[in-house]
Every structure is written in C-alpha cells, then in structure tokens.
Amino acid sequence: GRAGLAWAAALLLAALGAQAAAGDFDPYRVLGVGRSSSQADIKKAYKRLAREWHPDKNKDPGAEDKFIQISKAYEILSNEEKRANFDRYGDAGESQGYSQHQHRQFHHFHEGFYFDESFFHFPFNSERRDTSDEKYLLHFSHYINEIVPDSFKKPYLIKITSDWCFSCIHIEPVWKEVAQELEALGVGIGVVHAGYERRLAHHLGAHSTPSLLGLINGKVTFFHNAVIRENLRQFVENLLPGNLVEKITDKNYIRFLSNWKKENKPHVLLFDHMPVVPLLYKLTAFAYRDYLSFGYVYVGLRGTEELSSQYNINVYTPTMMIFKEHIDRPADVVQARDMKKQLIDDFLSQNKFLMVARLTNQRLFQELCPMKKSHRQRKHCVVLLTGEGDKFDKAYEAFLTFAVANTKDTLKFVHIYNDRQPEFADTLLMDEEKYRGKSAVVILERRNNAGKIAYKTLEETWQGSKEDNFILLDLLDQLRTDPGLLSSETVLADLNDELAPMFLIRWLYFMLDYISDCWDSLFHSNWREMMPLLSLLFSALFILFGTVIVQAFSDSSDTRDSPPSEKEESAANTEKNDASFSKESNSRIPKKGFVEVTELTDINYTSNLVRLRPGHMNVVLILSNSTKTILLQKFALEVYTFTGSSSLHFSFLSLDKHREWLEYLLEFAQDAAPIPNQYDKHFLERDYTGYVLALNGHKKYFCLFKPHRSGDEGGTLGLCEDYDSSLHTEARGKSSCSPGSRSIKNKLHKLSFWMERLLEGSLQRFYIPSWPALD
C-alpha cells in the first residue's frame, strides 16, 4: 500500500512538473528574438533555426524536440492574435504539449501498470491519435470509389488533419460534437490524415491543416468560417440545393399533391411545429429526390388550419404522410414525438413508387420489375399499355382500381404511354391491328439484364369492364401455380429516357452553380481552389501557341560551353513571351540552332509520356515561372548535341502547376531526394528547379539529374547555404536570397555529361508501378 502511494505521488509530481514546464514555454526565448522584433526578424530567426535543427539534417537525439519547439514558437509569434495573447497572458491560448520524446520515456517508465493517458493530455502523440476519428479515416481509393458516388445521396463533412498540428487540437471538441450530431441526421463524416494520405489531401485541394470541407454531388466546397457548431450546421445546410422542400399551406396543397401525375412520384408531407424546415427532413429529401417530392407544413402558421382538419392532424406530434394517386387520403402515415432517421428511412423506402407507376426510363423498369432471385421469389409485372388523353382515362382508372384491390408482394402494376415508348409497345403487341388506338394489358417477367423477358398479352383489349377484370384475375390466379403461362419470349430494347429533355435545364443549373462557385472562390481569394480553372485556360492558350522554340546559339561562332555575353543575356531576358524566344532574331540564327521543347501538360501527357513508343524517352526539365527563360536557354545549350537522336524528346514541366506530380515521382527515388516530413508547411516548399528527369514511358522508369552544386560561385550561393547535393536542395524563396541568373544557369552545369551516361544506359533507374495522373 505504502509503495503504491509513493508511486502515485511520484506520478503526480511528474505530471505537475510537466505542467509547469508547459506553462514556462517562451517562444521569444526559443527563437532568440526580442519582444519588439518585427515579423521579418522572426521569420529570419525561424528559418535559420529550423534549418539547423531539422531532424533530416541534425542527427542529435534531441533535434526532434527542439524542432517541434521552434515550429511551435514560430506558429505563435507569426500569428499576431496568438502573439498578443501570449504577451498579455503569458500563454498562446492553447495547451502546450510535451514532446514525443519526453512522453515516450514517461510511458516506457510506467509500463508496469495502466494509467489513463488522457489525464496527461499529449496533443501531438501520433502513435495514439484520437480513436473517435479512426472509424471516419478515408483512403484515396475508398474516397474515389465509394465516398464520391455516395455524395449523390448525402453530403459529407470532411476534416483534414495531421500530426504536429496545434490548431487541429483546438477544433477537436467542436468537431467531435458536430460530427456525432450530423451523422445521426444522415450526413457522411470523413477524416483525412494528411501525413498518411498526402495524395488524397492534395486531390481535395487542402494545402494546410486543419481544413474542413463539404462534398456533395462529387463537388468539394471549403469551409471558411469560425469553427463553431452553428456555423458548421449552416455550412452543411447550405451545401444542399435550395428547392428540395416546398413550403405548403391551404392555398397550394391541392396543386402540390396533384403533381403526382406529371412528376410520376408519390408526394410526402411533413407536419411539424417548427417554423423552419428541420435539417433532418432536408437531408431526407436530398437522399430520396429521385423517387419522391417533399412538402413541409408548419402547423403553427395561420393558413394551414384547413389542411390540418382535412387530414385530421394531431398538431402536437410530428406527422409524415405519403400521398399517391388519391390526394383526398394519404396512402401511408407515420407519427412520432421524435422523428429519427431510421424510422423515416423505413417508412419512405416502403413507399417509393406510385400504386401504378409509369415506366419513364430503364432504371425504373429494372427497379419495379426485378428479376427472380429463386423460384419462390418470382416477381411479375402487370403492364397497362395505353395512350395519353381523356379517351384513355376510363381504362386507366379501372386498371388503378384493380391494382389497389390486388396488391401483393409478388405483383407490381405499372403503365406506359405507347407513343412515348413505341419500341416497347410494338415488341409486346406485335404491331397487331386490333390494339391500335386502344389499351392492352401484358403480364411479364424479366429473365436477364440483357432485356430477355417471358410474357403473355391479354387476348382482348383492356376496356376496364367487369369482364376484363375477371379475365385478368383468372390469369393471375393461374400464374401462381403455373409459371409456364407466360408462353411467349422476346428481347426488349432499353426504354427511352423520357426525362432526357431536362438535360438542357440541368446543364444550365450546373453552369450557374459553377459560376457562383468561382465567384465564391474569388471572394475568399482562394486562388489554390481556382487553379484548375486557370490551368485549363492557360492550357488552351498553350495549345493555340504550340511548342517553345528555344534558341540554342546567339551566334554560330559561340563555343558550346561559353556563356552568352551580358548584352545577349539581357536581350534574351527581355524576350520573355514564351512562344517566340527566337522569332525576332531569326535573321541571324543558323537554321538548326534551336531545340524544340514542349511543355508537359495534362493535355499532351498521355501522348508525350504514358504512351511513348518503346525505346523512346522524354527528357523533362523542371522549372518555375521565375526561372523559365534562363533555365530553358541553358537546357537548350546542354542538350543541343543530343537533338539528332529521334528517340529523345525534350519537354519542360512547371513546378508551379505540377509540384504534386513531381513529389509523387520523387518518392520512388528516396535515396536521391527524401520527401520532406509533415513537420511544417515551409518544408513543403522545396526548390526542385533545375532537376531533369529522363522518363521511359513504356518501361515505367526514370533517371534523375540533380542540380549541380557550384563551388566557384561562392559569392552568390554562399548566402543560400547550399547543402551537399546528396541532401535536399533547400527552399530558396525570394525572401531568403535571390540567386543571380548565373547561379540558376549553373544548376544545369554538367547536364551534357549526364545525358551521355543516359544514352550509355549507366544511370541508376527508378521504377514506378504506374504513371500518376498529371492534374
């Protein structure tokens, strides 16, 4: 007992010590900057320290802890709100976690007994992430194959998170509560861990964590608001189309319910005493929109009394009614104090079709007349083939009355309009003269998905007389014991889709949606989400202007290695319009003094790489907008001697557009270019300009040329602290240093020697399972 107490005391002290340590965290001290430092000073200090302590570079056992502290300090001080919070209260307003290292020791130390880890609250413990998220985790193929198709039935709310993400911990309590609440209403919930599912995070367009987004009808929308319950609920509600549920009063209920004929759908009314349509009901309307039309009656409102008395509504209990062909009485009713999703689903799925639904497309035919699963589960369809207009009304009404009286699980009653489905009618009625301008009844059973059916057509036309009723009843009785009654067999062509003329309207709606989305993205200055649209525009322009012709020699007397003189260099820099480097000075260039270099885009990607003929290779230069002119000219100089080979193609790839594609490829060349860990957003900004990849499309491998590290250009490159090229070329944004055009050119120094080794076949090859898409 005494030993146990001692352990408990030691534990408590350790916890309190850790708590104190957490409270003592001083971001200014960690970054070594004063309290009055500017953002530029803070950024400079952070970059210097992060480079020094990055675990990839620094093998000190404490480097990881130190790096996490540096990142944390920078996160607080680079955000003015958090910085002000810290200055005022000595706290950034969020729990300071312990390092993984401390926690590992602590956990290991107490392996002998169990304690509740949540008491110690380790926020970035990647080994034991929050278990409530585990069941929602999404993977790329699962998302593409299951979640996207499912988003046509329900909206999804998706959270993008990662380890070492402090804001992710902040939103956790709200997320947990909202996810639980919305899931119960029928919203799909998903979590993407950016560290393990980088491909999916990129695919969704999430460039920082945490990000929240909505998915509906396969379309992604980002959440841009404060993470509070009301905002998230409203966000999900706004994802849904606005016209799902009609508000119904005494004035419009007869018009609404009478639409069953035109829409070929049952109509649902929910009576409730909430002024606004409940979210659960909107979600239900979205899920069943292909089968049912939805109306909402607010029973507290004046002007709904006639409705309530007409259908004898108990105004104190939510009531749901389904109306089919008869609008004076509901076909089915459910009442419950608490309308739960499961209850509504069961109720609606039993009432998805009218008593005698009209076959308007192939999908409906297959659902209403399913194939038999076994001999016991024979399903027969009784089809009335009739026409539109008053003269056919009597026959239809008689058929409807018969259907209501003879409803069974094994029988489905349906009708079609002959003139809208002529092929269907002609096949079954054999184009016989006696059925012209009259109604007929056919009993059929589907045998397979290819359209094969067994059927029997009633000898006489269907007038709806008592005699007709007896004949049909007698046949259906015989059918129960003798399936061989359906003696004829034929193959039906697919039904015409009668709703197809709606396509134009749908397209219009889609365009309106798209325009409003673009406007929204602009409004939130969300350029990353606008990139696909801009990329498409630029690709179209590029196709118009074609291939870049890069000038290899300014003068025929130039030797290959001598760089062009400064005057020529500045002339080349001014000639920046990409499609015509060489047009102005054409007169003095030798006819063959150029190299054709095509931009690799999503449009020509398949032909120029994926389906490249066996034995051919595409040599691709990686460049950015700012380095394009200089690198292309140097590239042309280096590869000029190899342009005689018809099996080599030369291209360039824009890092600004296709970084994700490149990083995916480099993962297969890990020893050559380790991919940055998910420590911190700045380490995703690697500088890959000047890399050259030789891609063998047919054999699915590539060889990699990494930029040359220049020793003689100490002046310019010294500032950049260029590391040994076996490590990674560090991000060299304009803020840290702008290497002159000379040092950018030097990146491709010795490329020609590499090309020689490429042709010899002596370079290391990195094989990949398949070429990734170039989005």
Side-chain angles (χ1 to χ4, degrees):
R2 195 170 291 175
L5 278 172
W7 269 113
L11 258 176
L12 197 60
L13 278 170
L16 290 171
Q19 201 68 44
D24 289 346
F25 181 81
D26 180 357
Y28 292 105
R29 197 173 64 228
V30 173
L31 291 185
V33 292
R35 287 189 173 250
S36 56
S37 299
S38 68
Q39 280 299 335
D41 295 338
I42 288 166
K43 194 169 189 176
K44 200 180 288 178
Y46 164 69
K47 281 196 161 180
R48 183 175 47 78
L49 289 168
R51 195 175 284 137
E52 182 185 340
W53 290 98
H54 193 285
D56 282 1
K57 306 263 178 347
N58 195 322
K59 297 306 171 203
D60 187 306
E64 198 172 311
D65 293 348
K66 180 77 172 161
F67 183 79
I68 292 165
Q69 284 195 325
I70 291 161
S71 301
K72 171 66 179 159
Y74 181 64
E75 189 183 349
I76 293 170
L77 298 186
S78 63
N79 179 322
E80 287 303 343
E81 197 181 324
K82 288 182 183 177
R83 184 177 179 182
N85 242 353
F86 182 83
D87 291 345
R88 206 170 300 138
Y89 309 114
D91 173 33
E94 45 189 57
S95 53
Q96 322 286 354
Y98 317 110
S99 73
Q100 230 187 356
H101 184 63
Q102 282 172 319
H103 161 242
R104 260 204 304 272
Q105 283 182 329
F106 196 57
H107 187 62
H108 188 73
F109 190 56
H110 298 295
E111 241 165 10
F113 66 94
Y114 169 83
F115 64 88
D116 181 9
E117 214 173 0
S118 63
F119 169 72
F120 294 98
H121 188 59
F122 298 107
F124 4 93
N125 175 6
S126 57
E127 290 135 39
R128 294 173 185 252
R129 280 192 321 280
D130 192 346
T131 47
S132 65
D133 279 351
E134 293 291 335
K135 62 176 178 177
Y136 302 128
L137 283 177
L138 301 182
H139 307 291
F140 189 80
S141 59
H142 170 228
Y143 171 82
I144 296 292
N145 300 325
E146 292 173 40
I147 304 297
V148 171
D150 200 37
S151 72
F152 287 83
K153 295 193 199 82
K154 64 182 182 189
Y156 273 79
L157 184 64
I158 297 173
K159 174 179 76 168
I160 318 271
T161 182
S162 64
D163 294 333
W164 327 108
C165 160
F166 300 92
S167 311
C168 299
I169 305 152
H170 258 332
I171 69 169
E172 204 51 45
V174 180
W175 165 262
K176 215 180 270 186
E177 180 195 355
V178 172
Q180 214 170 344
E181 182 188 341
L182 291 177
E183 193 179 26
L185 298 179
V187 176
I189 303 293
V191 175
V192 176
H193 194 287
Y196 303 106
E197 279 295 326
R198 279 181 59 201
R199 189 178 172 198
L200 179 52
H202 278 301
H203 175 82
L204 292 169
H207 298 278
S208 61
T209 54
S211 289
L212 294 173
L213 53 95
L215 171 75
I216 194 165
N217 291 333
K219 201 181 76 183
V220 170
T221 309
F222 276 80
F223 174 75
H224 294 291
N225 252 324
V227 182
I228 53 176
R229 180 178 169 272
E230 289 71 28
N231 287 355
L232 281 167
R233 267 187 73 107
Q234 195 56 52
F235 173 67
V236 169
E237 202 156 337
N238 291 347
L239 291 175
L240 295 164
N243 53 358
L244 286 171
V245 181
E246 196 174 334
K247 292 273 181 73
I248 303 300
T249 62
D250 293 346
K251 286 181 183 155
N252 65 358
Y253 81 96
I254 290 178
R255 176 192 58 74
F256 174 73
L257 296 177
S258 305
N259 269 344
W260 67 265
K261 192 161 201 163
K262 191 174 84 187
E263 295 178 7
N264 195 34
K265 289 175 180 177
H267 282 53
V268 187
L269 280 183
L270 175 67
F271 296 82
D272 202 349
H273 45 260
M274 305 274 288
V276 291
V277 183
L279 179 57
L280 170 61
Y281 194 54
K282 283 187 180 176
L283 289 163
T284 306
F286 181 72
Y288 288 93
R289 68 194 183 285
D290 290 343
Y291 299 98
L292 303 158
S293 285
F294 292 81
Y296 180 72
V297 184
Y298 169 35
V299 289
L301 188 70
R302 278 171 57 195
T304 58
E305 297 89 355
E306 185 193 320
L307 243 172
S308 301
S309 63
Q310 164 80 25
Y311 301 118
N312 197 15
I313 298 298
N314 170 0
V315 293
Y316 300 107
T317 311
T319 306
M320 196 178 273
M321 289 184 168
I322 288 204
F323 293 83
K324 296 189 177 176
E325 282 90 344
H326 302 114
I327 68 166
D328 55 336
R329 61 179 187 275
D332 206 349
V333 181
V334 65
Q335 267 194 337
R337 285 219 173 279
D338 190 14
M339 283 273 185
K340 286 276 195 296
K341 181 182 176 334
Q342 190 58 53
L343 175 75
I344 296 175
D345 279 347
D346 293 344
F347 176 66
L348 295 181
S349 53
Q350 286 162 16
N351 290 289
K352 275 161 59 172
F353 305 105
L354 294 167
M355 300 302 293
V356 180
R358 184 157 65 85
L359 298 180
T360 52
N361 57 38
Q362 188 65 17
R363 177 184 64 84
L364 210 54
F365 180 42
Q366 288 173 347
E367 283 196 58
L368 284 164
C369 306
M371 291 185 301
K372 60 171 186 180
K373 291 196 175 75
S374 68
H375 281 296
R376 286 184 185 165
Q377 282 185 300
R378 285 182 175 280
K379 299 264 184 176
H380 296 109
C381 258
V382 186
V383 188
L384 171 73
L385 296 101
T386 184
E388 293 178 80
D390 300 341
K391 73 169 187 166
F392 295 101
D393 280 356
K394 183 171 171 280
Y396 168 75
E397 290 295 340
F399 188 73
L400 175 61
T401 309
F402 183 92
V404 173
N406 292 283
T407 304
K408 291 187 183 70
D409 274 353
T410 54
L411 283 181
K412 276 280 191 288
F413 293 88
V414 295
H415 72 288
I416 69 160
Y417 289 150
N418 293 348
D419 48 350
R420 296 204 190 186
Q421 302 289 352
E423 280 183 80
F424 190 94
D426 292 348
T427 311
L428 291 178
L429 302 180
M430 305 288 207
D431 216 9
E432 280 191 51
E433 199 54 52
K434 65 175 175 185
Y435 297 118
R436 283 272 155 81
K438 304 262 173 52
S439 302
V441 170
V442 175
I443 305 167
L444 64 82
E445 180 187 4
R446 277 180 64 234
R447 289 286 162 88
N448 66 19
N449 280 329
K452 187 178 176 187
I453 60 157
Y455 72 102
K456 181 173 182 59
T457 307
L458 267 67
E459 300 285 332
E460 296 304 315
T461 58
W462 174 268
Q463 309 283 340
S465 63
K466 275 194 175 157
E467 195 185 339
D468 289 346
N469 279 334
F470 282 130
I471 294 169
L472 182 54
L473 199 55
D474 188 40
L475 277 172
L476 293 174
D477 269 349
Q478 285 181 49
L479 191 61
R480 283 221 304 271
T481 53
D482 176 21
L485 188 71
L486 307 181
S487 50
S488 313
E489 285 203 341
T490 187
V491 175
L492 289 173
D494 282 3
L495 278 90
N496 305 326
D497 187 352
E498 293 176 24
L499 302 174
M502 296 289 288
F503 173 75
L504 198 66
I505 297 164
R506 281 184 198 164
W507 188 83
L508 245 155
Y509 274 128
F510 173 76
M511 282 313 293
L512 282 170
D513 260 11
Y514 197 73
I515 290 162
S516 72
D517 268 17
C518 294
W519 178 251
D520 200 42
S521 293
L522 274 169
F523 179 70
H524 287 293
S525 62
N526 206 342
W527 291 103
R528 285 190 191 276
E529 288 168 47
M530 288 293 285
M531 280 316 284
L533 185 68
L534 298 173
S535 165
L536 197 69
L537 280 171
F538 286 124
S539 301
L541 288 171
F542 182 77
I543 288 171
L544 288 175
F545 293 112
T547 301
V548 179
I549 303 288
V550 187
Q551 184 180 327
F553 302 114
S554 311
D555 204 334
S556 52
S557 63
D558 271 2
T559 54
R560 190 173 62 77
D561 279 332
S562 72
S565 71
E566 275 173 28
K567 195 181 282 182
E568 279 160 10
E569 199 168 272
S570 62
N573 282 345
T574 55
E575 268 177 28
K576 269 229 170 98
N577 56 340
D578 305 340
S580 57
F581 285 128
S582 59
K583 284 181 186 159
E584 284 89 336
S585 45
N586 240 354
S587 53
R588 58 192 185 81
I589 301 172
K591 277 282 171 272
K592 292 235 167 103
F594 62 82
V595 180
E596 282 186 36
V597 188
T598 313
E599 177 166 10
L600 205 55
T601 64
D602 49 350
I603 290 134
N604 62 26
Y605 178 64
T606 307
S607 57
N608 287 11
L609 169 62
V610 182
R611 299 217 177 113
L612 208 55
R613 293 193 300 286
H616 284 241
M617 291 192 97
N618 198 339
V619 179
V620 183
L621 165 70
I622 309 298
L623 47 73
S624 61
N625 285 341
S626 54
T627 58
K628 188 172 186 173
T629 317
I630 300 163
L631 280 179
L632 272 173
Q633 286 183 327
K634 178 66 174 168
F635 183 65
L637 272 172
E638 291 285 323
V639 301
Y640 179 69
T641 36
F642 303 94
T643 52
S645 162
S646 60
S647 63
L648 286 179
H649 307 265
F650 299 97
S651 302
F652 69 89
L653 183 91
S654 167
L655 192 59
D656 305 308
K657 293 184 209 163
H658 303 299
R659 172 181 290 273
E660 185 188 340
W661 179 86
L662 179 66
E663 289 192 341
Y664 173 82
L665 240 61
L666 292 181
E667 282 177 25
F668 293 96
Q670 282 288 26
D671 52 338
I675 289 301
N677 290 333
Q678 263 270 316
Y679 284 116
D680 164 56
K681 53 183 181 277
H682 295 282
F683 281 85
L684 293 173
E685 311 279 314
R686 299 281 174 152
D687 178 22
Y688 297 113
T689 54
Y691 276 51
V692 178
L693 285 82
L695 308 166
N696 187 320
H698 181 66
K699 288 191 173 172
K700 299 196 183 72
Y701 72 78
F702 65 94
C703 302
L704 181 67
F705 170 83
K706 297 186 67 232
H708 172 68
R709 180 174 173 266
S710 168
D712 51 354
E713 291 290 333
T716 6
L717 280 177
L719 301 171
C720 297
E721 292 180 35
D722 203 354
Y723 288 96
D724 185 74
S725 61
S726 64
L727 288 166
H728 220 66
T729 321
E730 206 46 75
R732 291 205 295 268
K734 282 183 180 153
S735 52
S736 54
C737 69
S738 318
S741 58
R742 180 77 51 91
S743 63
I744 291 173
K745 269 188 182 172
N746 279 331
K747 286 185 168 198
L748 296 182
H749 188 49
K750 295 193 174 159
L751 177 63
S752 53
F753 297 122
W754 180 83
M755 288 290 298
E756 278 166 20
R757 287 183 57 203
L758 174 71
L759 293 177
E760 286 166 12
S762 60
L763 288 172
Q764 186 181 358
R765 294 174 179 184
F766 303 103
Y767 285 87
I768 63 164
S770 65
W771 294 110
L774 190 73
D775 296 329

